[in-house]
Amino acid sequence: MAKRTAVKRPAVNSTDGVNPRQPCPCGSGKRYKACHGSAGGPADVIISRPFEGLAAEPELIALREFVPSATAALPLAGDVPRQVTLATVLPMAAAALVRSDGVAFVGLQVQTRSGDLSRDVARAIRWALTAEPGDALPIVGVDNGDEPGRLQDLLVADQPLEPVLHEDFAWWLPEDTQATGDVALSLERANAAIMPSARLSAPGVHAAYWVDAGDKAHLRWVRPEPEEQLLNAMAKLAARNELNLGEGSRYAGSFRAHGLSVPVWDLDPELHSSEWAAGAEALSTRLTGALATADEQLTDSERRAHDGLRGRQVTLR
């Protein structure tokens, strides 16, 4: 996917040969004449897969969409003035803040966003790198075009994230610091909304999160494969009754989030999250085998399973 950096708008007959009917070089997905080739410049184009090209893509989606309280050190490229920590959500759903002790955070679950989440997070990171202790960024501003435009420009692309899950949001504040005012109210509300969650750890299992929803538990697993390839592989397993994590589990459906599929399983809530690690590892092995033949023609039973799986998809917007 091309980078959506600022691009000078050449004339239609310029020497660089940009055809106004061809895709814009900025990577927006629009024709050049409707984007950087228009009189008003580019509009806010929705990027359906904002974190594409990053090894951290599945974890970024999980932290953005359904993990309640987690942090992860960002693998920033080059020499930077300070470490920046990615967070699921910050006080008042701010885009970024620097604690009074100088620790810098950027948030994924924010108040407002543009059509490109990657660009928004990159702006927040650039702000956090030089902000003063105690400063907060409620929302990201407009990209002035002078800095790298997207998260892909700032991170080490092949380095994954290693999120740390927290039982509450006490990490919002430095140790031995008492919350007051709006921060105290936001902290109280955020803590009250947390459901017990855990990140499964097993060979071949990444971006898979268990959550206790009360009457039942779930596993939400962000998969990096293209949607149709994954559906075919899952259909092969479903036709053999192998699309599960063992006794007490049931495939519930999936949702689409930021260009990737997130299959969901209902789980026996009486079992501890760690008891599902072996089942997830075994399922990962079966999926890997099915993915190797995902391009082959499906059998009748696999096609029926495929249609059933597709019927249980929901797109998050």
Side-chain angles (χ1 to χ4, degrees):
M1 178 177 178
K3 297 176 181 177
R4 275 188 78 198
T5 51
V7 182
K8 187 178 291 185
R9 297 195 297 273
V12 170
N13 60 353
S14 63
T15 56
D16 59 15
V18 178
N19 185 325
R21 294 183 177 276
Q22 296 299 311
C24 185
C26 77
S28 68
K30 302 183 72 173
R31 290 184 179 183
Y32 174 73
K33 68 177 183 178
C35 191
H36 280 83
S38 68
D44 185 26
V45 178
I46 295 177
I47 303 300
S48 61
R49 192 174 172 182
F51 306 124
E52 185 176 15
L54 295 172
E57 181 182 20
E59 296 289 356
L60 287 166
I61 292 173
L63 297 183
R64 159 70 191 179
E65 292 302 331
F66 54 79
V67 177
S69 178
T71 56
L74 282 170
L76 296 175
D79 295 327
V80 291
R82 61 161 50 117
Q83 172 64 53
V84 177
T85 298
L86 185 70
T88 49
V89 64
L90 296 172
M92 280 80 72
L97 64 81
V98 179
R99 290 190 324 202
S100 59
D101 59 358
V103 178
F105 294 92
V106 296
L108 278 173
Q109 300 171 25
V110 295
Q111 298 180 44
T112 61
R113 64 182 181 91
S114 72
D116 186 356
L117 280 172
S118 176
R119 183 180 61 189
D120 294 346
V121 178
R123 292 177 191 169
I125 290 172
R126 292 199 301 269
W127 177 90
L129 285 173
T130 58
E132 296 295 327
D135 286 351
L137 179 69
I139 59 175
V140 293
V142 177
D143 193 342
N144 60 19
D146 295 333
E147 299 287 346
R150 309 187 73 236
L151 194 56
Q152 287 83 342
D153 300 305
L154 302 181
L155 297 189
V156 179
D158 60 355
Q159 188 167 333
L161 284 184
E162 294 296 335
V164 176
L165 271 64
H166 306 277
E167 294 182 352
D168 55 28
F169 288 95
W171 52 267
W172 279 359
L173 303 170
E175 291 185 12
D176 302 322
T177 300
Q178 185 69 33
T180 59
D182 290 341
V183 173
L185 181 59
S186 184
L187 182 61
E188 181 181 353
R189 290 175 176 172
N191 285 339
I194 287 181
M195 291 187 291
S197 302
R199 180 172 178 254
L200 292 196
S201 178
V205 179
H206 309 284
Y209 289 84
W210 171 92
V211 59
D212 182 357
D215 58 338
K216 64 176 62 176
H218 307 286
L219 180 73
R220 299 160 177 165
W221 194 344
V222 186
R223 299 295 308 187
E225 299 85 9
E227 179 184 329
E228 194 58 33
Q229 185 182 28
L230 178 63
L231 272 177
N232 286 347
M234 291 172 60
K236 290 175 178 291
L237 297 185
R240 302 196 299 263
N241 197 29
E242 294 180 353
L243 189 60
N244 58 70
L245 288 83
E247 185 177 354
S249 69
R250 181 184 67 87
Y251 177 76
S254 66
F255 55 86
R256 302 184 185 96
H258 310 297
L260 294 185
S261 294
V262 187
V264 179
W265 286 264
D266 290 338
L267 306 176
D268 183 348
E270 297 299 320
L271 298 180
H272 189 271
S273 60
S274 61
E275 296 182 74
W276 296 107
E281 181 182 355
L283 177 56
S284 177
T285 299
R286 295 196 298 272
L287 264 177
T288 299
L291 285 164
T293 61
D295 294 332
E296 297 178 2
Q297 185 173 356
L298 300 180
T299 65
D300 289 343
S301 61
E302 290 169 348
R303 281 197 298 272
R304 289 192 295 271
H306 180 280
D307 293 342
L309 294 174
R310 185 176 291 283
R312 285 188 277 177
Q313 288 183 316
V314 174
T315 301
L316 300 182
R317 301 188 184 279

